[in-house]
Amino acid sequence: MQNRRKFIKLSAFGIPMLSSFGSLSRDFTTARGQVKPIVISTWDFGIAANQAAWKVLSTGGRALDAVEQGVHVPEADPKNQSVGYGGLPDRDGHVTLDACIMDELGNCGSVAGLEHIMHPISVARLVMEKTPHVMLVGDGALQFALENDFKKENLLTKESEKAWKEWLKTAKYEPVMNIENKLYDKAAPQKLPGNQYNHDTIGMLAIDAKGNLSGACTTSGMAYKLHGRVGDSPIIGAGLYVDNEIGGATSTGVGEEVIRNVGSFLVVELMRQGYSPEDACKEAVMRIIKKKPDIAKKIQVGFLALNKKGEYGAYAIQKGFSYAVCTSQKNDLLIDGKSYY
Ligand code: GLY
């Protein structure tokens, strides 16, 4: 089943204008892929993140710098309870962050279970650029960050601590779908009951003026997870994969199902075989649904992909998965991606 699409176009002054489109969607689909540079990212908070990335891309900067700068925005936003500062904690009250980054040369860096550092994506980049390793976890990742002059901070905001304490009253671990949209609703930012929790990640993919691709993915992971749980977001091939010859893909939602299917790598490999970005995302979603139909009914997983030509697409298990697109022509678009249900 395909859900209706909507888009928000930002005016020159950044004021969103909401429209629905039926026939317009044809033109828009045709226009996809003609424009570079381009940056796309998951969820509504992708709009602000894309704008930060665009500052880099529009001045001839490298896609790698763009995605790092872009995802810094939700990482530093205390209102965003699924990424970085202000993220909902694990079962024991620790905010633990997962992030990874990939460049056009196939280099990658990753951190998992990192505490006290506002910008895990920048630590991941440093792992990529300054160490012989790909991934650092937990205390080792923190030690590495502190040795490289990252500041140690308390990432647990009062709002997230309050939500956690409320959750402790029942301590039931049940993911709620598409919580990001509600959490980020400016009209009602903190109205979720404390026993609900989210799993929504920012994944960002960009092509710069030279035609090079990079990607970044960062999250505080599943709220109230077991201490030590790692999701898909820091795992190269699961939460993110970039191949500069083909394209890139990233994921959001319940990470365990993405890891089981090596989701982002699968999407890129399908694009290598000739699938469009949207069809590749759909096939990756279908793998999850076919293997675990009963679980899939109750969870959200979404994939977002960008190919080397600048064509993009997305597909999710459940409706409600949005993504943002920024190019010189389209300014910013928020698209309600297609879904199975
Ligand atoms: N996709 C984020 C997570 O599962 O942690």
Side-chain angles (χ1 to χ4, degrees):
M1 207 185 298
Q2 290 177 0
N3 51 307
R4 195 167 60 93
R5 295 177 173 192
K6 290 176 187 165
F7 72 94
I8 290 175
K9 189 161 192 156
L10 291 183
S11 72
F13 304 104
I15 300 163
M17 300 178 293
L18 181 64
S19 308
S20 299
F21 63 96
S23 59
L24 261 180
S25 66
R26 285 273 160 243
D27 297 336
F28 177 62
T29 306
T30 310
R32 284 182 186 184
Q34 305 307 313
V35 192
K36 288 178 209 166
I38 180 169
V39 56
I40 64 175
S41 58
T42 53
W43 299 111
D44 303 26
F45 48 52
I47 288 180
N50 284 358
Q51 286 171 343
W54 187 251
K55 283 190 188 145
V56 178
L57 293 173
S58 61
T59 51
R62 192 177 167 203
L64 183 70
D65 294 321
V67 296
E68 183 187 12
Q69 291 305 312
V71 303
H72 273 186
V73 175
E75 282 185 339
D77 182 354
K79 292 199 297 294
N80 182 329
Q81 290 182 295
S82 59
V83 181
Y85 175 49
L88 290 167
D90 66 19
R91 188 187 66 173
D92 301 336
H94 303 277
V95 180
T96 65
L97 306 178
D98 295 341
C100 76
I101 194 161
M102 269 191 98
D103 73 8
E104 74 276 13
L105 302 169
N107 297 312
C108 42
S110 160
V111 289
L114 175 61
E115 294 184 54
H116 306 302
I117 302 294
M118 176 90 64
H119 292 301
I121 199 69
S122 295
V123 184
R125 180 168 176 174
L126 219 57
V127 172
M128 174 174 85
E129 293 182 336
K130 303 272 191 247
T131 80
H133 309 306
V134 167
M135 189 169 195
L136 293 178
V137 304
D139 289 347
L142 178 60
Q143 183 186 335
F144 174 75
L146 297 177
E147 283 168 5
N148 284 280
D149 300 326
F150 284 84
K151 204 167 113 197
K152 188 168 182 179
E153 300 183 69
N154 175 22
L155 302 180
L156 185 63
T157 56
K158 283 202 173 70
E159 290 75 19
S160 287
E161 187 176 14
K162 197 171 150 206
W164 168 59
K165 287 190 171 152
E166 187 64 30
W167 174 80
L168 281 175
K169 290 179 186 167
T170 55
K172 263 178 82 182
Y173 186 72
E174 277 174 355
V176 175
M177 287 178 264
N178 301 332
I179 283 302
E180 177 279 329
N181 286 325
K182 289 178 207 156
L183 282 172
Y184 210 65
D185 181 351
K186 290 193 178 71
Q190 303 294 345
K191 292 211 170 137
L192 277 180
N195 64 348
Q196 294 192 352
Y197 45 100
N198 69 89
H199 48 77
D200 293 323
T201 304
I202 184 153
M204 177 177 277
L205 302 162
I207 304 180
D208 60 29
K210 289 185 178 157
N212 285 324
L213 269 146
S214 290
C217 186
T218 177
T219 186
S220 51
M222 305 283 280
Y224 318 131
K225 61 197 174 185
L226 289 181
H227 186 59
R229 179 264 185 188
V230 173
D232 58 321
S233 302
I235 297 180
I236 302 297
L240 177 75
Y241 196 72
V242 172
D243 182 323
N244 202 41
E245 284 184 5
I246 305 299
T250 189
S251 62
T252 181
V254 176
E256 280 76 5
E257 297 312 318
V258 179
I259 295 170
R260 287 184 178 113
N261 291 280
V262 201
S264 291
F265 182 73
L266 174 62
V267 171
V268 172
E269 289 307 299
L270 290 166
M271 291 196 293
R272 192 189 306 279
Q273 292 170 27
Y275 282 61
S276 70
E278 183 180 299
D279 286 348
C281 292
K282 183 176 181 181
E283 179 58 26
V285 162
M286 293 313 295
R287 295 266 174 112
I288 293 170
I289 294 171
K290 276 180 207 154
K291 280 186 194 165
K292 300 200 172 181
D294 292 339
I295 288 176
K297 271 183 208 153
K298 297 182 212 143
I299 63 163
Q300 176 65 302
V301 170
F303 291 100
L304 176 65
L306 176 67
N307 72 14
K308 184 73 177 170
K309 288 187 267 183
E311 296 166 336
Y312 53 85
Y315 202 85
I317 299 178
Q318 311 288 346
K319 58 178 177 264
F321 172 39
S322 61
Y323 65 100
V325 179
C326 186
T327 69
S328 60
Q329 292 181 6
K330 296 192 187 86
N331 200 355
D332 253 311
L333 293 170
L334 181 62
I335 298 173
D336 193 356
K338 291 184 183 174
S339 62
Y340 183 74
Y341 289 112

